[in-house]
Tab-separated table of all heavy atoms in Angstrom:
chain	number	residue	atom	x	y	z
A	30	ASP	N	-24.220	-82.935	-155.718
A	30	ASP	CA	-25.459	-82.225	-155.421
A	30	ASP	C	-26.621	-83.048	-155.968
A	30	ASP	O	-26.599	-83.440	-157.137
A	30	ASP	CB	-25.438	-80.848	-156.085
A	30	ASP	CG	-26.712	-80.070	-155.851
A	30	ASP	OD1	-27.051	-79.821	-154.684
A	30	ASP	OD2	-27.368	-79.728	-156.844
A	31	ILE	N	-27.618	-83.319	-155.145
A	31	ILE	CA	-28.795	-84.049	-155.604
A	31	ILE	C	-29.659	-83.111	-156.431
A	31	ILE	O	-30.059	-82.040	-155.960
A	31	ILE	CB	-29.611	-84.607	-154.417
A	31	ILE	CG1	-28.780	-85.623	-153.635
A	31	ILE	CG2	-30.913	-85.242	-154.910
A	31	ILE	CD1	-29.442	-86.113	-152.351
A	32	GLU	N	-29.942	-83.504	-157.664
A	32	GLU	CA	-30.785	-82.693	-158.545
A	32	GLU	C	-32.211	-82.656	-158.022
A	32	GLU	O	-32.782	-83.690	-157.694
A	32	GLU	CB	-30.800	-83.279	-159.957
A	32	GLU	CG	-29.492	-83.163	-160.676
A	32	GLU	CD	-29.578	-83.695	-162.092
A	32	GLU	OE1	-30.687	-83.783	-162.658
A	32	GLU	OE2	-28.522	-84.024	-162.637
A	33	GLY	N	-32.777	-81.470	-157.937
A	33	GLY	CA	-34.173	-81.310	-157.559
A	33	GLY	C	-34.501	-81.762	-156.144
A	33	GLY	O	-35.632	-82.150	-155.860
A	34	SER	N	-33.539	-81.663	-155.243
A	34	SER	CA	-33.775	-82.168	-153.886
A	34	SER	C	-34.894	-81.416	-153.160
A	34	SER	O	-35.680	-82.026	-152.435
A	34	SER	CB	-32.495	-82.126	-153.053
A	34	SER	OG	-32.033	-80.796	-152.904
A	35	THR	N	-35.000	-80.117	-153.372
A	35	THR	CA	-36.066	-79.357	-152.709
A	35	THR	C	-37.434	-79.841	-153.180
A	35	THR	O	-38.336	-80.073	-152.363
A	35	THR	CB	-35.904	-77.852	-152.974
A	35	THR	OG1	-34.622	-77.435	-152.486
A	35	THR	CG2	-36.998	-77.054	-152.291
A	36	ALA	N	-37.579	-80.030	-154.479
A	36	ALA	CA	-38.854	-80.531	-155.011
A	36	ALA	C	-39.144	-81.935	-154.498
A	36	ALA	O	-40.300	-82.261	-154.180
A	36	ALA	CB	-38.828	-80.514	-156.539
A	37	LEU	N	-38.126	-82.780	-154.408
A	37	LEU	CA	-38.334	-84.136	-153.868
A	37	LEU	C	-38.748	-84.087	-152.400
A	37	LEU	O	-39.615	-84.853	-151.975
A	37	LEU	CB	-37.075	-84.981	-154.041
A	37	LEU	CG	-36.826	-85.528	-155.433
A	37	LEU	CD1	-35.436	-86.147	-155.530
A	37	LEU	CD2	-37.893	-86.545	-155.800
A	38	TRP	N	-38.132	-83.212	-151.628
A	38	TRP	CA	-38.528	-83.084	-150.216
A	38	TRP	C	-39.987	-82.639	-150.107
A	38	TRP	O	-40.698	-83.067	-149.208
A	38	TRP	CB	-37.626	-82.098	-149.470
A	38	TRP	CG	-36.375	-82.722	-148.941
A	38	TRP	CD1	-35.102	-82.498	-149.356
A	38	TRP	CD2	-36.273	-83.689	-147.891
A	38	TRP	NE1	-34.217	-83.260	-148.634
A	38	TRP	CE2	-34.905	-83.989	-147.725
A	38	TRP	CE3	-37.205	-84.323	-147.070
A	38	TRP	CZ2	-34.447	-84.906	-146.775
A	38	TRP	CZ3	-36.743	-85.241	-146.126
A	38	TRP	CH2	-35.389	-85.523	-145.981
A	39	GLN	N	-40.417	-81.783	-151.015
A	39	GLN	CA	-41.799	-81.301	-150.965
A	39	GLN	C	-42.793	-82.344	-151.456
A	39	GLN	O	-43.868	-82.488	-150.884
A	39	GLN	CB	-41.929	-80.015	-151.787
A	39	GLN	CG	-41.192	-78.861	-151.166
A	39	GLN	CD	-41.121	-77.639	-152.068
A	39	GLN	OE1	-41.313	-77.716	-153.274
A	39	GLN	NE2	-40.830	-76.495	-151.465
A	40	SER	N	-42.440	-83.054	-152.517
A	40	SER	CA	-43.397	-83.995	-153.114
A	40	SER	C	-43.274	-85.415	-152.574
A	40	SER	O	-44.257	-86.158	-152.578
A	40	SER	CB	-43.236	-84.018	-154.635
A	40	SER	OG	-41.974	-84.551	-154.990
A	41	ARG	N	-42.102	-85.816	-152.120
A	41	ARG	CA	-41.869	-87.194	-151.678
A	41	ARG	C	-41.036	-87.221	-150.393
A	41	ARG	O	-39.958	-87.817	-150.354
A	41	ARG	CB	-41.134	-87.970	-152.771
A	41	ARG	CG	-41.774	-87.922	-154.154
A	41	ARG	CD	-43.197	-88.456	-154.200
A	41	ARG	NE	-43.291	-89.884	-154.118
A	41	ARG	CZ	-43.169	-90.719	-155.129
A	41	ARG	NH1	-42.944	-90.267	-156.337
A	41	ARG	NH2	-43.292	-92.007	-154.930
A	42	PRO	N	-41.511	-86.580	-149.323
A	42	PRO	CA	-40.678	-86.473	-148.116
A	42	PRO	C	-40.320	-87.822	-147.487
A	42	PRO	O	-39.197	-87.994	-146.991
A	42	PRO	CB	-41.526	-85.623	-147.166
A	42	PRO	CG	-42.924	-85.741	-147.664
A	42	PRO	CD	-42.810	-85.926	-149.149
A	43	GLU	N	-41.228	-88.779	-147.503
A	43	GLU	CA	-40.903	-90.076	-146.901
A	43	GLU	C	-39.831	-90.802	-147.693
A	43	GLU	O	-38.931	-91.417	-147.111
A	43	GLU	CB	-42.166	-90.940	-146.780
A	43	GLU	CG	-43.138	-90.440	-145.719
A	43	GLU	CD	-42.482	-90.271	-144.346
A	43	GLU	OE1	-41.720	-91.178	-143.913
A	43	GLU	OE2	-42.707	-89.227	-143.719
A	44	ALA	N	-39.917	-90.730	-149.014
A	44	ALA	CA	-38.885	-91.352	-149.850
A	44	ALA	C	-37.533	-90.693	-149.590
A	44	ALA	O	-36.508	-91.381	-149.485
A	44	ALA	CB	-39.259	-91.247	-151.324
A	45	MET	N	-37.501	-89.373	-149.462
A	45	MET	CA	-36.241	-88.678	-149.187
A	45	MET	C	-35.692	-89.055	-147.818
A	45	MET	O	-34.482	-89.219	-147.664
A	45	MET	CB	-36.433	-87.164	-149.290
A	45	MET	CG	-36.520	-86.658	-150.708
A	45	MET	SD	-34.991	-86.926	-151.646
A	45	MET	CE	-33.958	-85.630	-150.972
A	46	ARG	N	-36.561	-89.207	-146.833
A	46	ARG	CA	-36.092	-89.606	-145.496
A	46	ARG	C	-35.418	-90.977	-145.537
A	46	ARG	O	-34.484	-91.239	-144.788
A	46	ARG	CB	-37.253	-89.626	-144.511
A	46	ARG	CG	-37.625	-88.281	-144.005
A	46	ARG	CD	-38.672	-88.328	-142.884
A	46	ARG	NE	-39.128	-86.990	-142.631
A	46	ARG	CZ	-40.185	-86.426	-143.214
A	46	ARG	NH1	-40.908	-87.106	-144.089
A	46	ARG	NH2	-40.517	-85.187	-142.945
A	47	ARG	N	-35.898	-91.840	-146.407
A	47	ARG	CA	-35.302	-93.174	-146.517
A	47	ARG	C	-34.061	-93.165	-147.421
A	47	ARG	O	-33.101	-93.878	-147.159
A	47	ARG	CB	-36.326	-94.163	-147.063
A	47	ARG	CG	-37.415	-94.505	-146.059
A	47	ARG	CD	-38.302	-95.635	-146.541
A	47	ARG	NE	-39.028	-95.320	-147.759
A	47	ARG	CZ	-40.214	-94.712	-147.809
A	47	ARG	NH1	-40.808	-94.350	-146.694
A	47	ARG	NH2	-40.800	-94.465	-148.967
A	48	LEU	N	-34.102	-92.377	-148.502
A	48	LEU	CA	-33.004	-92.400	-149.470
A	48	LEU	C	-31.783	-91.582	-149.065
A	48	LEU	O	-30.647	-91.972	-149.364
A	48	LEU	CB	-33.495	-91.886	-150.829
A	48	LEU	CG	-34.349	-92.835	-151.640
A	48	LEU	CD1	-34.894	-92.126	-152.880
A	48	LEU	CD2	-33.555	-94.059	-152.043
A	49	LEU	N	-31.981	-90.457	-148.405
A	49	LEU	CA	-30.855	-89.577	-148.117
A	49	LEU	C	-29.774	-90.247	-147.266
A	49	LEU	O	-28.590	-90.152	-147.596
A	49	LEU	CB	-31.325	-88.264	-147.494
A	49	LEU	CG	-30.289	-87.152	-147.495
A	49	LEU	CD1	-29.803	-86.826	-148.905
A	49	LEU	CD2	-30.833	-85.911	-146.832
A	50	PRO	N	-30.124	-90.972	-146.195
A	50	PRO	CA	-29.056	-91.651	-145.443
A	50	PRO	C	-28.323	-92.705	-146.277
A	50	PRO	O	-27.104	-92.868	-146.143
A	50	PRO	CB	-29.794	-92.304	-144.274
A	50	PRO	CG	-31.060	-91.537	-144.134
A	50	PRO	CD	-31.419	-91.094	-145.527
A	51	ARG	N	-29.032	-93.381	-147.162
A	51	ARG	CA	-28.394	-94.370	-148.029
A	51	ARG	C	-27.472	-93.681	-149.034
A	51	ARG	O	-26.374	-94.160	-149.324
A	51	ARG	CB	-29.464	-95.213	-148.726
A	51	ARG	CG	-30.228	-96.085	-147.720
A	51	ARG	CD	-31.481	-96.711	-148.279
A	51	ARG	NE	-31.232	-97.525	-149.454
A	51	ARG	CZ	-32.164	-97.837	-150.352
A	51	ARG	NH1	-33.404	-97.406	-150.203
A	51	ARG	NH2	-31.871	-98.573	-151.388
A	52	HIS	N	-27.925	-92.547	-149.573
A	52	HIS	CA	-27.094	-91.727	-150.466
A	52	HIS	C	-25.827	-91.294	-149.743
A	52	HIS	O	-24.711	-91.431	-150.250
A	52	HIS	CB	-27.908	-90.504	-150.927
A	52	HIS	CG	-27.089	-89.356	-151.403
A	52	HIS	ND1	-26.593	-88.393	-150.530
A	52	HIS	CD2	-26.679	-88.994	-152.635
A	52	HIS	CE1	-25.910	-87.502	-151.224
A	52	HIS	NE2	-25.952	-87.835	-152.501
A	53	ASP	N	-25.987	-90.760	-148.537
A	53	ASP	CA	-24.839	-90.266	-147.771
A	53	ASP	C	-23.827	-91.379	-147.505
A	53	ASP	O	-22.620	-91.174	-147.640
A	53	ASP	CB	-25.302	-89.664	-146.447
A	53	ASP	CG	-26.122	-88.402	-146.618
A	53	ASP	OD1	-26.224	-87.878	-147.755
A	53	ASP	OD2	-26.688	-87.943	-145.608
A	54	GLU	N	-24.324	-92.547	-147.121
A	54	GLU	CA	-23.446	-93.681	-146.838
A	54	GLU	C	-22.699	-94.114	-148.105
A	54	GLU	O	-21.499	-94.388	-148.071
A	54	GLU	CB	-24.276	-94.843	-146.296
A	54	GLU	CG	-23.463	-96.039	-145.891
A	54	GLU	CD	-24.348	-97.132	-145.316
A	54	GLU	OE1	-25.240	-96.827	-144.507
A	54	GLU	OE2	-24.131	-98.298	-145.705
A	55	LEU	N	-23.406	-94.159	-149.223
A	55	LEU	CA	-22.790	-94.571	-150.482
A	55	LEU	C	-21.687	-93.591	-150.890
A	55	LEU	O	-20.564	-94.000	-151.202
A	55	LEU	CB	-23.853	-94.663	-151.579
A	55	LEU	CG	-23.336	-95.135	-152.929
A	55	LEU	CD1	-24.325	-96.109	-153.551
A	55	LEU	CD2	-23.090	-93.982	-153.864
A	56	VAL	N	-21.997	-92.298	-150.899
A	56	VAL	CA	-21.007	-91.303	-151.324
A	56	VAL	C	-19.798	-91.320	-150.392
A	56	VAL	O	-18.649	-91.395	-150.853
A	56	VAL	CB	-21.622	-89.889	-151.410
A	56	VAL	CG1	-20.541	-88.844	-151.696
A	56	VAL	CG2	-22.698	-89.839	-152.488
A	57	ALA	N	-20.017	-91.270	-149.090
A	57	ALA	CA	-18.901	-91.262	-148.144
A	57	ALA	C	-18.063	-92.533	-148.275
A	57	ALA	O	-16.824	-92.473	-148.217
A	57	ALA	CB	-19.424	-91.106	-146.717
A	58	GLY	N	-18.708	-93.660	-148.474
A	58	GLY	CA	-17.991	-94.925	-148.621
A	58	GLY	C	-17.129	-94.964	-149.869
A	58	GLY	O	-15.980	-95.427	-149.838
């Protein structure tokens, strides 16, 4: 579970759009 993901989506949506797919790829891999 990503800590504080809702707050990050609200305060840094562009960063989350870039980081979340990389996070998903890393965890699944």
Side-chain angles (χ1 to χ4, degrees):
D30 178 59
I31 297 173
E32 291 183 21
S34 62
T35 301
L37 282 170
W38 274 112
Q39 292 171 341
S40 66
R41 307 301 286 276
E43 289 306 315
M45 284 296 284
R46 280 187 190 92
R47 288 188 298 273
L48 285 173
L49 195 58
R51 293 167 57 201
H52 159 274
D53 293 352
E54 184 178 316
L55 182 139
V56 173

